[in-house]
Amino acid sequence: MVEVGGDFFDIVRCGRNQYGILIADVSGHGVPAALVTTMAKVSFNSNSGYDVMPGEVCQRVNSDLVRMLGGDFSHYLTAFYGLVDVEKNIFHYTNAGHNPPFLIRNQGGELIRLGKPNCFLGFTEELEFETESIDLRTGDTIILYTDGIPEATNIRKEMYDQQRLVDYLRKHAQATARYLAEGLMRDVESFCEGQPASDDRAVLVMRFLGGHRMVLETASRIQDQSLDYQDSFRQAVNLAKEKRWGEAEAEFEPLYERFPNNPRLVSNYALVLCKTGKTNRAYEILKKALEESDHEELRSSLQYVQKLIDRR
């Protein structure tokens, strides 16, 4: 049940030319957090509407949560809710204690942090939530994310942090919305070097195209490594057991790109590479992983590969 997370995002149609854009993070994990997530998502959907400003929506959701949680302060919600008006080219938004999203201007590449943090949702009804607004120009991009992104840690307990996030966004400002979302997730996972996630991660990217058009892309991972990683790794190992070396290599390769320092993954991938005649490549990836982590499994695999090279 720890794999039931509390991060979520949503896109709500609010009339012909308006869309509600939401990203939120419920405290905790497991079934209790998932139940609060469900309540919050239903509340945001039912309270959103045409020309209903984000501050008012958050006010209503907060009241719903306070009533539903009944004073249980162990669960609360941070959220960022925005209303995109694709006819007037404007973005209204409210930050309820959430990580401030970024807007990248298409012209000039200026990076703007959005939203003065208000209090989180579900604590007390005696709160007011402010609505802010900013104009949208053709090609502008908005990146929303949860705290699992900047707070992700590697094996040396270093955090990905806000500065790395800013550097990534500046470097890839002109990339497609899909690349920004999925690429950011890959960049964080590469930084973590196979370290299991201690918090859920979610990203939502919106690019405003003008002419009543926009593109939305999302990416997410739940804590303790993603299920797609586990399934892919299991599939690769099974292919190797069946001596289908070429297929196993193809399955391992994208996993290695995401987790180049995961000892178990690197060791298995290296042995498969030896079977497909890429012994030197196997030696290189093992040496590189050992420079980052002196792991017994990596040393053992390297000794095996070295013996194969010596016999040639």
Side-chain angles (χ1 to χ4, degrees):
M1 291 301 184
V2 297
E3 292 178 341
V4 180
D7 285 9
F8 68 100
F9 41 70
D10 205 3
I11 298 97
V12 183
R13 184 74 179 266
C14 301
R16 188 165 60 102
N17 297 314
Q18 294 181 348
Y19 296 85
I21 308 296
L22 169 69
I23 193 162
D25 185 1
V26 175
S27 62
H29 301 284
V31 172
L35 291 173
V36 177
T37 298
T38 301
M39 291 188 291
K41 191 166 185 175
V42 170
S43 181
F44 268 106
N45 270 271
S46 62
N47 286 302
S48 299
Y50 182 76
D51 267 352
V52 182
M53 290 295 102
E56 184 177 348
V57 173
C58 287
Q59 190 83 41
R60 295 176 183 177
V61 172
N62 180 66
S63 296
D64 287 347
L65 289 175
V66 170
R67 287 195 298 271
M68 288 186 287
L69 295 175
D72 178 6
F73 300 136
S74 62
H75 290 289
Y76 57 87
L77 180 77
T78 69
F80 183 96
Y81 179 73
L83 184 67
V84 185
D85 190 317
V86 296
E87 182 174 15
K88 297 178 181 177
N89 299 355
I90 194 167
F91 185 55
H92 307 287
Y93 57 90
T94 294
N95 186 346
H98 199 75
N99 296 81
F102 289 95
L103 182 147
I104 304 175
R105 289 294 190 194
N106 184 42
Q107 297 296 325
E110 181 185 5
L111 202 64
I112 302 170
R113 190 168 295 191
L114 299 178
K116 308 168 188 173
N118 293 275
C119 187
F120 49 78
L121 303 170
F123 181 67
T124 175
E125 284 202 65
E126 298 171 2
L127 295 174
E128 293 184 0
F129 295 88
E130 179 183 354
T131 296
E132 299 177 72
S133 302
I134 193 168
D135 66 295
L136 291 176
R137 306 165 192 169
T138 300
D140 284 354
T141 304
I142 296 175
I143 299 94
L144 298 84
Y145 59 95
T146 57
D147 59 7
I149 297 296
E151 294 177 8
T153 57
N154 60 20
I155 57 177
R156 292 177 294 280
K157 305 302 181 184
E158 299 167 333
M159 293 179 65
Y160 187 79
D161 70 39
Q162 286 283 341
Q163 189 55 54
R164 283 188 177 86
L165 174 58
V166 168
D167 291 344
Y168 174 86
L169 296 178
R170 289 190 188 282
K171 182 178 179 180
H172 301 286
Q174 297 303 314
T176 64
R178 173 169 292 186
Y179 184 93
L180 274 174
E182 296 179 352
L184 175 57
M185 198 67 70
R186 287 194 298 269
D187 194 60
V188 172
E189 290 172 343
S190 176
F191 169 82
C192 291
E193 304 169 325
Q195 182 82 351
S198 59
D199 196 4
D200 308 324
R201 302 168 189 160
V203 178
L204 189 156
V205 176
M206 183 199 81
R207 174 154 292 154
F208 183 66
L209 303 179
H212 297 195
R213 296 179 302 137
M214 63 181 181
V215 171
L216 288 157
E217 295 290 350
T218 62
S220 63
R221 296 283 185 273
I222 61 173
Q223 67 173 40
D224 199 24
Q225 293 195 348
S226 55
L227 293 175
D228 64 340
Y229 165 83
Q230 298 173 26
D231 290 340
S232 297
F233 183 83
R234 191 179 302 113
Q235 173 70 8
V237 171
N238 288 337
L239 288 169
K241 287 179 179 178
E242 296 171 10
K243 299 183 179 180
R244 296 159 64 181
W245 308 117
E247 293 173 69
E249 180 186 350
E251 192 74 22
F252 269 121
E253 186 175 359
L255 291 176
Y256 172 72
E257 290 178 359
R258 290 167 58 189
F259 306 105
N261 298 307
N262 182 308
R264 187 181 177 207
L265 169 62
V266 174
S267 293
N268 279 274
Y269 182 37
L271 296 178
V272 168
L273 286 172
C274 290
K275 295 295 184 179
T276 58
K278 300 181 178 69
T279 310
N280 290 339
R281 169 70 173 153
Y283 183 87
E284 290 171 3
I285 68 170
L286 287 165
K287 283 282 289 184
K288 183 178 179 181
L290 272 168
E291 290 173 2
E292 299 294 335
S293 174
D294 187 18
H295 195 279
E296 178 61 33
E297 187 172 359
L298 293 172
R299 289 200 305 271
S300 178
S301 296
L302 185 63
Q303 290 172 4
Y304 170 78
V305 173
Q306 183 66 64
K307 288 178 182 178
L308 293 179
I309 294 174
D310 292 342
R311 289 176 189 164
R312 291 191 310 194

